[in-house]
Amino acid sequence: MRFVTAEKNGKQFIGIVNEELNQVIDVKVAEMKMNGTTTIPETMIEVIAQGEECLERVQEIELWVRENPDTDCIYPIEEMSLKAPIPRPRKNIFCVGKNYAEHVIEMGSAKDIPEHVVMFTKTPTTVVGPEETVLNHKHITEQLDYEGELAIVIGKTGRGIKESEAFDYVFGYTILNDITARDIQSRHKQFFLGKSLDTTCPMGPVLVHKSLIPDPSNLSVKTEVNGEVRQSGNTSQLIFPIETIISVISQGMTLEAGDIIATGTPSGVGKGFNPPRFLKGGDVIEITIDGLGTLRNKIEE
């Protein structure tokens, strides 16, 4: 299933995407029409937290809608405003740094390739959805940069997770753009401020359940700026794979349903060019990952 948080006529709802017909099903409205009652939660985090029970209900609803295609709970996707799948995370987004060797080298040298997972976070206020404008923050930065990444969404609570069991804790995957103010990042040494400017964590357009992504360790990751390919990598190049990331984070820290983990970015970021090619007002960034669609955002002019 491909989940979305969508908005129509000022009202947000949880939907599932029928990509064949380019439509969105409002699952809460559909359940009401199917059963006369509704049990589907209001938010994506609640859907995730309810686990398999909720997924089974959503599957039943989707099947019913397919058998009753004339019901008025199906909307053309172009009539929707898609939000980030989790518009306001409950806590900071976990981010893995230096997780593609070529990116490490373009930002420094081969000797900087890490022996252990490098972590930082972005605040919930950074999150915006597809097609939303990213503020240029030109009063404080001249070096806004893009980073296309695969993001993991955790499906259930766990601590001390073994690598062999890590995928049991995954709900699904989405696309994330870890937009970074490089000058602020450099000035403050720690990544937090340079990574946490408002609107600098676009996510979406969909949250794809893990059942539809059988091999997340072999997904192409492509970033284009104004139609020019800047990044072209594959998750097979991750220094620390998904199961290692989840296990390492969870050893002394509880992961919870709805937590988001960005897995790192391939080479080709703006700072890696000579001279650097930072984002400018009006630039359009499009990040495409196999099976997850394309996340598109524009920098404020």
Side-chain angles (χ1 to χ4, degrees), residues 100 102 146 148 219-224 228-235 237 265-269 288:
Y100 287 79
E102 290 186 4
Y146 53 86
L219 302 176
S220 68
V221 181
K222 180 177 71 173
T223 303
E224 297 177 74
E228 176 192 4
V229 176
R230 297 280 187 88
Q231 294 182 286
S232 183
N234 191 287
T235 56
Q237 300 165 331
T265 198
S267 62
V269 300
T288 302

Coordinates of all heavy atoms in Angstrom, one line a residue, residues 100 102 146 148 219-224 228-235 237 265-269 288:
Y100 N 27.7 7.3 2.2 CA 28.1 6.8 0.9 C 29.6 7.3 0.7 O 29.9 8.5 0.9 CB 27.3 7.5 -0.2 CG 25.9 7.0 -0.3 CD1 24.9 7.4 0.6 CD2 25.5 6.2 -1.4 CE1 23.6 7.0 0.4 CE2 24.2 5.7 -1.5 CZ 23.2 6.1 -0.6 OH 21.9 5.7 -0.8
E102 N 31.6 7.8 -1.8 CA 32.0 8.9 -2.7 C 31.5 10.2 -2.2 O 32.2 11.3 -2.5 CB 31.3 8.6 -4.1 CG 32.0 7.4 -4.8 CD 31.5 7.2 -6.2 OE1 30.6 8.1 -6.7 OE2 31.8 6.2 -6.9
Y146 N 21.3 20.6 -1.3 CA 20.3 19.5 -1.4 C 21.0 18.2 -1.0 O 22.2 18.0 -1.2 CB 19.8 19.4 -2.8 CG 20.9 19.3 -3.8 CD1 21.4 18.1 -4.2 CD2 21.4 20.4 -4.5 CE1 22.5 18.0 -5.1 CE2 22.4 20.4 -5.4 CZ 23.0 19.2 -5.7 OH 24.0 19.1 -6.6
G148 N 19.5 14.2 -1.5 CA 18.4 13.2 -1.7 C 18.7 12.0 -1.0 O 19.8 11.4 -1.0
L219 N 18.0 0.2 -4.4 CA 17.2 1.2 -5.0 C 18.0 2.4 -5.5 O 18.9 2.9 -4.9 CB 16.2 1.8 -3.9 CG 15.3 0.8 -3.2 CD1 14.5 1.5 -2.1 CD2 14.4 0.1 -4.1
S220 N 17.7 2.8 -6.8 CA 18.4 4.0 -7.3 C 17.9 5.2 -6.7 O 16.7 5.4 -6.3 CB 18.2 4.0 -8.8 OG 16.8 4.3 -9.1
V221 N 18.8 6.2 -6.4 CA 18.5 7.5 -5.8 C 19.0 8.5 -6.8 O 20.2 8.6 -7.0 CB 19.2 7.6 -4.4 CG1 18.8 9.0 -3.8 CG2 18.7 6.5 -3.5
K222 N 18.1 9.3 -7.3 CA 18.5 10.3 -8.3 C 18.0 11.7 -7.9 O 16.8 11.8 -7.5 CB 18.0 10.0 -9.7 CG 18.3 11.0 -10.8 CD 17.8 10.6 -12.2 CE 16.3 10.7 -12.3 NZ 15.8 10.4 -13.6
T223 N 18.8 12.7 -7.9 CA 18.5 14.1 -7.6 C 18.7 15.0 -8.8 O 19.8 14.9 -9.4 CB 19.2 14.6 -6.4 OG1 19.0 13.8 -5.3 CG2 18.8 16.1 -6.1
E224 N 17.7 15.7 -9.2 CA 17.8 16.7 -10.3 C 17.6 18.1 -9.8 O 16.7 18.3 -9.0 CB 16.8 16.4 -11.4 CG 17.0 15.0 -12.1 CD 16.0 14.7 -13.1 OE1 16.0 15.3 -14.2 OE2 15.1 14.0 -12.8
E228 N 18.6 19.0 -14.3 CA 19.9 18.5 -14.5 C 20.2 17.4 -13.4 O 20.1 17.7 -12.2 CB 21.0 19.6 -14.4 CG 22.4 19.1 -14.4 CD 23.4 20.2 -14.0 OE1 23.0 21.3 -13.7 OE2 24.6 19.9 -14.1
V229 N 20.6 16.2 -13.8 CA 21.0 15.2 -12.8 C 22.2 15.6 -12.1 O 23.3 15.8 -12.7 CB 21.2 13.8 -13.5 CG1 21.6 12.8 -12.5 CG2 19.9 13.4 -14.2
R230 N 22.1 15.7 -10.8 CA 23.2 16.0 -9.9 C 23.7 14.8 -9.1 O 24.9 14.6 -8.9 CB 22.9 17.1 -8.9 CG 22.5 18.5 -9.6 CD 23.7 19.3 -10.0 NE 23.4 20.6 -10.5 CZ 23.2 21.7 -9.7 NH1 23.4 21.6 -8.4 NH2 22.9 22.8 -10.2
Q231 N 22.8 14.0 -8.6 CA 23.1 12.8 -7.8 C 22.5 11.6 -8.5 O 21.4 11.6 -8.9 CB 22.5 12.9 -6.4 CG 23.1 14.0 -5.5 CD 22.5 14.0 -4.2 OE1 21.4 14.4 -4.0 NE2 23.3 13.5 -3.2
S232 N 23.3 10.6 -8.6 CA 22.8 9.3 -9.2 C 23.5 8.2 -8.4 O 24.7 7.8 -8.7 CB 23.1 9.2 -10.7 OG 22.6 8.0 -11.2
G233 N 22.8 7.6 -7.4 CA 23.4 6.6 -6.6 C 22.5 5.4 -6.4 O 21.4 5.4 -7.0
N234 N 22.9 4.5 -5.5 CA 22.0 3.3 -5.3 C 22.2 2.9 -3.8 O 23.4 3.1 -3.3 CB 22.4 2.2 -6.2 CG 21.4 1.0 -6.1 OD1 21.4 0.3 -5.2 ND2 20.7 0.9 -7.2
T235 N 21.2 2.5 -3.2 CA 21.3 2.2 -1.7 C 22.2 1.0 -1.5 O 22.6 0.7 -0.4 CB 19.9 1.9 -1.1 OG1 19.2 0.9 -1.9 CG2 19.0 3.2 -1.1
Q237 N 25.1 1.1 -2.2 CA 26.4 1.7 -1.9 C 26.5 2.2 -0.5 O 27.5 2.8 -0.1 CB 26.6 2.9 -2.9 CG 26.6 2.5 -4.3 CD 26.5 3.7 -5.3 OE1 25.8 4.7 -4.9 NE2 27.0 3.6 -6.4
T265 N 23.2 10.4 1.9 CA 23.0 10.9 0.6 C 24.2 10.5 -0.3 O 25.4 10.4 0.2 CB 22.9 12.4 0.6 OG1 22.3 12.8 -0.7 CG2 24.2 13.2 0.8
P266 N 24.0 10.2 -1.6 CA 25.1 9.9 -2.5 C 25.9 11.1 -2.9 O 25.5 12.2 -2.5 CB 24.4 9.3 -3.8 CG 22.9 9.1 -3.4 CD 22.7 10.0 -2.2
S267 N 27.0 10.9 -3.6 CA 27.8 12.0 -4.1 C 27.0 12.9 -5.1 O 26.0 12.4 -5.7 CB 29.1 11.5 -4.7 OG 28.7 10.7 -5.9
G268 N 27.5 14.1 -5.3 CA 26.8 15.0 -6.2 C 26.1 16.2 -5.6 O 25.4 16.9 -6.3
V269 N 26.4 16.4 -4.3 CA 25.8 17.6 -3.6 C 26.4 18.8 -4.2 O 27.5 18.8 -4.7 CB 25.9 17.5 -2.1 CG1 25.2 16.2 -1.6 CG2 27.3 17.5 -1.7
T288 N 14.1 11.3 -7.1 CA 13.4 10.1 -7.5 C 14.0 8.8 -6.9 O 15.3 8.7 -7.1 CB 13.3 10.0 -9.0 OG1 12.7 11.2 -9.5 CG2 12.5 8.8 -9.5

